[in-house]
């Protein structure tokens, strides 16, 4: 009984992986090359969700080793999230169509 | 029970927002809203995770206060450091910054695996195997990204290569796998700890050794690959932790990253295995250059002929960014446009140091993105264009890539700048490009060199056009 539950979760996990893989492929497949670098950085931000897993690990740590590894994990994950966001945001903020920047610049000067 | 639903649903919402955000990021019009949407998702799911505090395992309750304090400190430290670095880094140094942040994610995934291996909660062999695979991928991404950063940052100038390196790396990989298998088999016993630790050591070392022989020019492809690796590692550790949000977000990035890597490799006309396993740049020294004389001209002469041209296409390369001359270039372009010249920018897929990097650098200088054209969209226009202005680019306009089968860059798609009626090339000296190949374009009749630092040359060009006055 236990075995069939475990194998079922594993199969469901494979379904999730398959669907997620297709999603990632389809979402990216029509991207213009001008957005490759921001997109790489944006997807870099998204896998920063690993910090959530690291937080759970740290909350449940019972030994010093667990606390140290958990701390490192949360620190690295938080850096991934924050760095990925800031860098992507900075890059994307620069993409503007031609009408806007001229009016903006006139406004500033 | 109630909390589990809230936390679980918050992960679901976050995963949905991530996918929506990623979709929005694939168009320049909606890209900014895309990253903001994904950002909301992240804040939401991290906040909801703190609800798990009410749900920790009984053994962890006595440590709860310390653990929460540690978590808050680690979150703050990570966010402050990365936020500061991300905000202050130069746009030209962006690729290595992405590498570092990506490596951090890989390291975090590896640390999740380490904790799972150390814990004595009984889990199935299947779970443990997935943990080990995720840990291996995460470790490779962690140390590999650090080496990639060092190479792009100029801390490590030359690829490290030695005889039998491929054999050594393969052996190291197999040893990592064997140690991992040993750690799984002896899980839960005191004997299992040592193989576990050795496994992590070997996996981290493999990440270093795998990246060392790859040349700096190929680093962008490698970073993109490690980005996909981190995604995959996060997805696998998500399965181990029973967290579907990690599984979905990780796997979406894993596949999107793989596709991006393939697109980048394709733009350089190289297969991924070619990037990873061939030592590009070794064999090019024997290539002999074309014979002939280069013509050179004064910046002001070149500027004058562009001022009276009806159409100009600009081909920027990384040399432009090195000289920090994007602003000057756009100033020059604005003057030409004001005088009625039709100016376009043509971007080669691998211009800059990463596909799309040159677009970011131009965007930073204020160049609107509708003046910027992809290679496929503009290549047919060169033949009907008066002037092609090439700045700090070399290999991407080398016609030898189309004709000479013995050339190391043969087969790489190029911008057909050589077809323009007149070609100006701004270049520091008469040396060769990244690939070490001389460019026959520079010896063509319709080509004139303007030697000098891009910043200085463009300043002179701006002066020259100013002196002519507006029409």
């Amino acid at each position: 009984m236990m075995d069939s539950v475990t194998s079922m979760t594993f199969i469901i996990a494979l379904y999730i992986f398959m669907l997620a893989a297709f999603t990632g492929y389809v979402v990216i497949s029509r991207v213009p090359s001008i957005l490759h670098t921001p997109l790489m950085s944006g997807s870099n931000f998204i896998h920063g969700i690993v910090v959530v897993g690291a937080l759970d690990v740290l909350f449940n740590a019972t030994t010093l080793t667990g606390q140290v590894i958990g701390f490192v994990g949360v620190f690295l994950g938080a850096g991934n999230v924050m760095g990925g966001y800031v860098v992507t945001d900075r890059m994307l903020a620069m993409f503007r169509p031609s009408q806007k920047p001229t009016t903006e610049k006139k406004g500033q000067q | 029970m109630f909390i589990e639903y809230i936390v679980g649903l918050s992960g679901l919402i976050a995963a949905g927002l991530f996918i929506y955000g990623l979709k929005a990021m694939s168009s320049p019009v909606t890209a900014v809203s895309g990253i903001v949407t994904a950002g909301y998702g992240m804040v939401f799911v991290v906040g909801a995770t703190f609800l798990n505090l009410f749900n920790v395992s009984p053994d962890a309750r006595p440590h709860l206060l310390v653990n929460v304090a540690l978590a808050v400190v680690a979150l703050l430290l990570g966010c402050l450091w990365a936020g500061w670095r991300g905000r202050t880094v130069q746009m030209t140094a962006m690729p290595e910054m992405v590498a570092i942040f990506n490596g951090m994610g890989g390291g975090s995934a590896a640390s999740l695996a380490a904790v799972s291996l150390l814990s004595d909660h009984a889990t199935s062999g299947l779970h443990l195997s997935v943990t080990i695979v995720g840990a291996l991928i995460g470790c490779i991404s962690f140390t590999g990204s650090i080496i990639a950063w060092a190479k792009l940052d100029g801390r490590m100038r030359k690829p490290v290569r030695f005889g039998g390196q491929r054999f050594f790396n393969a052996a190291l990989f197999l040893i990592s796998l064997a140690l991992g298998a040993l750690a799984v088999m002896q899980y839960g016993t005191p004997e299992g700890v040592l193989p576990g630790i050795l496994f992590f050591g070997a996996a981290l070392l493999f990440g270093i050794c795998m990246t060392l022989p790859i040349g700096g020019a190929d680093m962008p492809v490698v970073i993109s690959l490690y980005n996909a690796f981190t995604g995959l590692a996060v997805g696998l550790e998500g399965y181990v932790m029973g967290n579907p949000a990690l599984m979905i977000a990780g796997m979406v990035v894993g596949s999107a990253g793989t596709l991006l890597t393939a697109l980048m490799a394709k733009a350089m006309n190289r297969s991924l295995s070619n990037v990873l396993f061939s030592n590009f740049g070794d064999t090019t020294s024997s290539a002999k250059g074309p014979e002939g004389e280069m013509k050179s001209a004064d910046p002001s002469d070149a500027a004058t002929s562009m001022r009276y041209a009806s159409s100009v296409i600009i081909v920027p390369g990384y040399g432009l960014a090195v000289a920090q001359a994007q602003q000057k270039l756009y100033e020059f372009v604005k003057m030409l446009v004001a005088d009625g010249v039709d100016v376009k920018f043509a971007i080669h897929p691998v211009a800059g140091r990463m596909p799309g990097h040159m677009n970011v650098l131009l965007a930073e200088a204020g160049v609107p993105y509708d003046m910027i054209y992809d290679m496929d969209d503009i290549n047919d226009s060169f033949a009907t264009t008066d002037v092609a202005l090439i700045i700090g680019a070399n290999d991407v306009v080398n016609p030898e890539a189309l004709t000479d089968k013995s050339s190391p860059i043969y087969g790489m798609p190029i911008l057909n700048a050589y077809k323009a009626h007149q070609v100006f090339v701004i270049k520091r000296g008469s040396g060769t490009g990244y690939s070490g190949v001389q460019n026959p374009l520079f010896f063509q009749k319709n080509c004139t060199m303007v030697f000098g630092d891009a910043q200085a040359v463009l300043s002179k060009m701006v002066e020259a056009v100013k002196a002519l006055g507006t029409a």
Side-chain angles (χ1 to χ4, degrees), chain B residues 126-150:
Chain B
L126 190 66
H127 252 85
L128 285 170
S129 310
V130 175
T131 312
I132 288 287
V133 175
L136 180 61
I137 299 172
C139 285
I140 294 173
S141 173
F142 181 50
T143 50
S145 295
I146 292 174
I147 299 295
W149 164 78

Side-chain angles (χ1 to χ4, degrees), chain B residues 111-112 158 206 224 232 407 439 469:
Chain B
S111 70
L112 294 190
K158 290 213 160 157
F206 178 70
S224 176
L232 202 59
S407 170
N439 193 338

Side-chain angles (χ1 to χ4, degrees), chain B residues 395 397-404 414 418 439-441 444:
Chain B
D395 293 336
V397 290
N398 190 341
E400 217 174 53
L402 302 175
T403 52
D404 185 0
I414 62 154
Y418 69 95
N439 193 338
L441 166 68
Q444 273 186 24

Side-chain angles (χ1 to χ4, degrees), chain B residues 299-300 426-427 450-462:
Chain B
S300 51
I426 302 180
K427 218 168 157 304
V450 184
F451 288 116
D453 175 73
Q455 173 91 29
V457 168
L458 284 164
S459 299
K460 280 182 197 154
M461 286 186 166
V462 168

Side-chain angles (χ1 to χ4, degrees), chain B residues 203-462:
Chain B
L204 291 169
L205 187 64
F206 178 70
I208 296 175
C209 293
M210 180 179 158
T211 322
L212 278 179
I214 304 172
D218 286 332
M219 271 310 129
V221 181
V222 174
I223 294 175
S224 176
L225 180 72
Y226 288 156
N227 185 39
F229 270 23
T230 306
L232 202 59
V234 170
L236 292 176
E237 297 310 327
Y239 167 69
V240 173
M241 300 195 66
N243 190 331
L246 261 69
M247 292 167 68
I248 294 176
M251 193 50 79
V252 165
V253 174
S255 80
T258 308
L259 181 61
L260 264 183
T261 312
L263 287 175
M264 288 188 193
K266 198 177 144 203
M268 299 166 82
N269 195 42
R270 311 190 49 203
S271 72
L272 195 54
S273 64
N274 197 274
V275 169
L276 292 177
F277 304 119
S278 88
N279 300 337
F280 187 64
D282 268 4
T283 54
T284 53
S285 50
S286 61
K288 67 173 199 314
E291 306 287 313
E293 291 251 327
M294 292 188 196
K295 278 188 308 232
S296 73
D298 209 47
S300 51
D301 291 348
T304 310
S305 45
M306 274 184 270
R307 160 70 181 76
Y308 292 107
S310 68
S311 54
V312 173
I313 297 181
I314 296 173
V315 180
Y318 190 60
L320 175 74
V322 171
Q324 298 280 330
Q326 304 95 296
Q327 303 276 357
K328 258 298 174 241
L329 174 62
Y330 188 45
E331 195 186 332
F332 177 60
V333 167
K334 274 192 284 191
M335 296 174 82
L336 291 182
V337 171
D339 290 339
V341 184
D342 175 30
V343 185
K344 289 175 181 149
F345 287 86
I347 309 274
H348 191 271
V350 295
R353 300 159 80 193
M354 201 186 263
H357 190 208
M358 186 50 68
N359 305 74
V360 175
L361 294 173
L362 288 177
E364 188 189 20
V367 180
Y369 64 73
D370 40 19
M371 280 177 88
I372 301 174
Y373 291 82
D374 280 355
M375 181 173 70
D376 293 338
D377 295 332
I378 204 163
N379 244 353
D380 295 334
S381 319
F382 278 107
T384 54
T385 298
D386 292 341
V387 179
L389 174 64
I390 300 167
I391 307 172
N394 189 344
D395 293 336
V396 297
V397 290
N398 190 341
E400 217 174 53
L402 302 175
T403 52
D404 185 0
K405 280 193 179 157
S406 66
S407 170
I409 57 169
Y410 176 73
M412 184 175 85
I414 62 154
L415 285 163
N416 296 332
Y418 69 95
K419 285 188 180 164
H421 299 309
Q422 170 68 48
V423 181
F424 287 112
V425 181
I426 302 180
K427 218 168 157 304
R428 294 179 70 91
S430 48
T432 57
Y434 237 148
S435 65
V437 197
Q438 189 53 274
N439 193 338
L441 166 68
F442 301 159
F443 302 93
Q444 273 186 24
K445 268 186 196 154
N446 62 345
C447 179
T448 306
M449 309 296 291
V450 184
F451 288 116
D453 175 73
Q455 173 91 29
V457 168
L458 284 164
S459 299
K460 280 182 197 154
M461 286 186 166
V462 168

